[in-house]
Amino acid sequence: MLENSETNRTFWKNEEKKLDDLLEKAISPGGEKAVARLVKQGKRPVRELINNLIDSGSLFLELSRIAGFGVNYPGVDDVPCGGLVTGIGKIHGNWTMIFANDSRVKAGTYFPITLKKHMRAQAIATQCGLNCVYIADSGGAFLPMQADVFPDDQHFGSMFYNMARMSAAGLKQVTLSTGGNTAGGAYIVFMANESVMIDKMSYSFLGGPPLVKMATGETISAENLGGAKTHTTISGGADHFCTSQDEAIETVRNILSNEQPQKIHMQRSAELQPKVSSDSIYDLLPAAVNKGIDVRSFIETIADGSKFTEFKKNYAPGRGDNIVTGKIRIKGLPVGIIASNGVGIIFFEAARKATEWIVRCSYDKIPLLFIQNSPGYMVGSESEHMGIGKYGSNMVRAASCAQVPKIQLVIGPDNGAANYGMCGRAYKPNFLFNTMRGRTSVMSGRSAAGVLLSIEQRKSEARGKPMSKEEIDLFRQKMVDKYDGEAHPFYCGARLLNDRVLKFHEIREWLATTFEICLLQPIPEPNFGNFRF
């Protein structure tokens, strides 16, 4: 056992080192040369601005940090961090969603992944009731991909639609312009509740000087066309004139200084530290992703006092306990658990138990944590005849309709319909976190290779040219590499299929904080659709 623990620990520490290497590329695009260019413009890197914006010594929960790697757009392989920093920090004690264009990445222009990241942050802000601050320095849409970023729903215009809707719902939209905001990007200044611009640094116009010259023949400077003085003294498109980034940051803080203090809509108990250290996760979780786990031991590392009150512990031994259900507290907050156990295959008994628990927690208004480590629902005639489709669908329906805050944490296989029943991305969890052990895809590489190889062999035989052993081995390995590669947390994180890849030792802190943020909104009354009994 000790040898396996040491092997697991070494493996996961090395995997998280790979994550650190990718993060360094995400937060330092262009290296020191890019920072030097900012300094010449009187600017600082966006994370420094964010650090000054949030309360001193407080956390900044940065989201989707590895977005944009390997997206392979025309002429652009990577868009580090999606060209946009998003995350949640406290301003005068209130959790606030922060957006910041990183002008070091293609002048802050918007690629499809940038838009997806921007609007994912807006969705979280809407769901959790957070004010928004936009640190805007963007060249607008990435023009070579205009058909993919401009005309459709969830394209460029949807950012401003969301701003309008959030403002109408009482969520403040505050923009700090630290650079150029051209064409559609100008609306991020003009549509805010209040906008801050910086002298001889901020510009906002529907058409820049070159376009004005071409369209009207007028020659005008950027400053006179749409600079800070123009919009704060003539057009009224902005509200606050500043002379430096420091002054502008303080102005934004002042704007939000009179907001009502947030409160959690949940009774909170005193926090107890787990009796089992979070560091032990490195020993507990096998390096082999398809190997079964004891999820109760994992739960002990995140639960206050390592206490887990289990629901239906003795139900259907060997089948019903492939999903473990019950209650814990995380930093004093009650949380309902639905967790994959063992190898994680979901039998009909486990699906039935999970559905009942989701419904119970919803009526009790207890938030839910889905700990996902399942390769799918059980197949075969016995399982079908016992109602796996019916009970699996009930589980999906319960996850869909539960109105309590929901968070999914992926710590292993995340395949097939188990992704649905365990509240994957399509089921609108408030937050979705992966780990370096998570693997999200329709099926594992090995399973996909087996299915697709059988099809390929039948086609080859029908053509009268059966596949050789070398061709079989090559095809099988190609499919394994493809499906396992697309399931990897780096691939999924790059495409915003999760909100952050957490290190094992970060899990408890992030769950506690994000559940707190989820509970800033009152929990609606439960309302479930039709179940099949």
Side-chain angles (χ1 to χ4, degrees):
M1 178 63 185
L2 178 61
E3 181 181 353
N4 288 338
S5 298
E6 291 175 349
T7 299
N8 294 340
R9 174 172 290 272
T10 299
F11 181 82
W12 293 121
K13 288 291 185 180
N14 287 336
E15 288 296 287
E16 289 183 357
K17 175 62 168 60
K18 296 175 186 176
L19 176 60
D20 285 334
D21 293 342
L22 190 60
L23 293 176
E24 179 60 29
K25 296 177 183 178
I27 66 178
S28 302
E32 291 301 319
K33 288 184 178 180
V35 174
R37 284 195 297 271
L38 289 178
V39 171
K40 285 183 178 179
Q41 299 168 16
K43 299 179 182 180
R44 299 199 305 278
V46 290
R47 287 177 183 80
E48 288 187 22
L49 296 179
I50 292 170
N51 191 53
N52 288 349
L53 176 64
I54 63 176
D55 296 346
S56 179
S58 65
L59 291 171
F60 178 59
L61 305 175
E62 187 173 342
L63 304 170
S64 310
R65 297 182 300 173
I66 60 173
F69 286 100
V71 288
N72 296 323
Y73 295 138
V76 180
D77 293 331
D78 295 324
V79 184
C81 205
L84 178 74
V85 179
T86 61
I88 306 170
K90 282 190 174 179
I91 300 177
H92 293 292
N94 285 336
W95 289 111
T96 305
M97 182 63 77
I98 300 169
F99 308 70
N101 301 116
D102 195 338
S103 62
R104 295 174 295 177
V105 181
K106 296 292 184 181
T109 50
Y110 276 75
F111 294 81
I113 194 63
T114 320
L115 288 169
K116 188 174 183 180
K117 182 171 179 177
H118 189 116
M119 283 182 272
R120 172 58 186 155
Q122 287 182 318
I124 292 172
T126 301
Q127 200 170 22
C128 297
L130 306 179
N131 293 329
C132 297
V133 174
Y134 303 85
I135 301 177
D137 186 357
S138 171
F142 183 64
L143 292 179
M145 298 188 71
Q146 72 84 25
D148 300 300
V149 297
F150 171 68
D152 201 1
D153 182 25
Q154 299 304 301
H155 284 184
F156 211 73
S158 293
M159 295 191 299
F160 313 124
Y161 173 87
N162 293 339
M163 287 181 75
R165 300 281 293 188
M166 283 192 283
S167 178
L171 303 179
K172 290 286 179 62
Q173 308 293 297
V174 180
T175 295
L176 163 56
S177 175
T178 63
N181 297 103
T182 305
Y187 287 101
I188 208 160
V189 175
F190 301 143
M191 292 198 66
N193 293 80
E194 294 189 50
S195 294
V196 180
M197 296 186 73
I198 303 170
D199 190 30
K200 297 181 176 59
M201 185 182 293
S202 305
Y203 306 96
S204 185
F205 25 59
L206 301 187
L211 182 60
V212 170
K213 176 68 174 177
M214 182 179 67
T216 69
E218 179 185 9
T219 299
I220 190 170
S221 69
E223 184 67 34
N224 290 331
L225 180 63
K229 283 184 179 177
T230 296
H231 286 310
T232 56
T233 65
I234 300 173
S235 78
D239 310 289
H240 303 275
F241 176 88
C242 298
T243 58
S244 68
Q245 287 188 327
D246 287 338
E247 182 187 354
I249 288 289
E250 192 58 35
T251 300
V252 173
R253 285 185 55 81
N254 287 339
I255 291 169
L256 294 171
S257 63
N258 294 317
E259 292 295 294
Q260 289 294 313
Q262 294 167 334
K263 66 176 182 178
I264 299 172
H265 294 269
M266 178 67 66
Q267 188 68 34
R268 189 171 203 164
S269 302
E271 175 186 351
L272 293 174
Q273 288 298 319
K275 294 178 181 179
V276 181
S277 167
S278 295
D279 188 65
S280 65
I281 299 174
Y282 293 93
D283 304 315
L284 291 170
L285 293 185
V289 174
N290 61 350
K291 189 172 182 179
I293 66 170
D294 176 8
V295 81
R296 294 179 180 90
S297 296
F298 174 83
I299 292 169
E300 289 178 347
T301 69
I302 62 173
D304 283 10
S306 298
K307 183 179 179 182
F308 176 44
T309 304
E310 191 163 345
F311 172 75
K312 287 192 182 314
K313 180 178 181 178
N314 300 317
Y315 173 64
R319 295 158 69 97
D321 63 356
N322 275 16
I323 287 182
V324 168
T325 54
K327 288 182 187 176
I328 64 172
R329 288 186 181 270
I330 302 180
K331 294 200 173 184
L333 294 172
V335 173
I337 297 290
I338 302 96
S340 309
N341 190 39
V343 295
I345 296 173
I346 303 175
F347 292 86
F348 81 90
E349 296 97 333
R352 188 161 60 187
K353 179 173 75 171
T355 300
E356 182 180 350
W357 186 238
I358 293 168
V359 173
R360 283 174 180 252
C361 288
S362 296
Y363 277 101
D364 289 342
K365 296 190 175 181
I366 295 174
L368 293 169
L369 172 61
F370 294 81
I371 302 175
Q372 167 63 331
N373 177 63
S374 175
Y377 289 92
M378 187 62 187
V379 298
S381 61
E382 180 186 0
S383 190
E384 291 289 351
H385 296 169
M386 294 304 293
I388 188 60
K390 176 175 69 173
Y391 292 117
S393 294
N394 281 349
M395 188 174 163
V396 171
R397 184 176 288 109
S400 302
C401 296
Q403 304 222 40
V404 296
K406 299 174 290 188
I407 294 178
Q408 190 197 52
L409 172 68
V410 185
I411 62 169
D414 178 25
N415 303 139
N419 171 276
Y420 303 163
M422 291 294 285
C423 203
R425 182 60 109 192
Y427 296 85
K428 307 293 189 293
N430 296 61
F431 293 93
L432 195 162
F433 301 124
N434 213 322
T435 63
M436 289 301 292
R437 193 173 187 270
R439 297 293 186 272
T440 299
S441 67
V442 67
M443 61 182 70
S444 70
R446 184 175 62 178
S447 297
V451 171
L452 295 172
L453 177 59
S454 66
I455 295 171
E456 192 69 16
Q457 284 180 302
R458 286 198 299 270
K459 287 163 58 178
S460 296
E461 289 167 1
R463 292 194 298 265
K465 296 181 179 180
M467 297 174 72
S468 67
K469 182 180 184 305
E470 291 76 14
E471 288 173 327
I472 290 171
D473 291 344
L474 182 63
F475 183 89
R476 179 185 290 113
Q477 190 59 49
K478 183 179 178 181
M479 292 301 102
V480 168
D481 291 344
K482 170 182 168 60
Y483 280 81
D484 284 351
E486 292 177 356
H488 194 275
F490 288 173
Y491 185 95
C492 294
R495 288 153 184 81
L496 245 70
L497 303 183
N498 57 61
D499 295 313
R500 183 172 167 121
V501 179
L502 296 178
K503 297 180 180 180
F504 290 154
H505 67 83
E506 296 177 322
I507 290 173
R508 174 176 156 86
E509 185 69 33
W510 270 77
L511 290 178
T513 307
T514 49
F515 270 123
E516 175 185 315
I517 293 168
C518 293
L519 290 165
L520 296 175
Q521 292 281 76
I523 298 174
E525 294 299 320
N527 181 20
F528 290 95
N530 175 59
F531 286 103
R532 291 184 179 272
F533 295 102

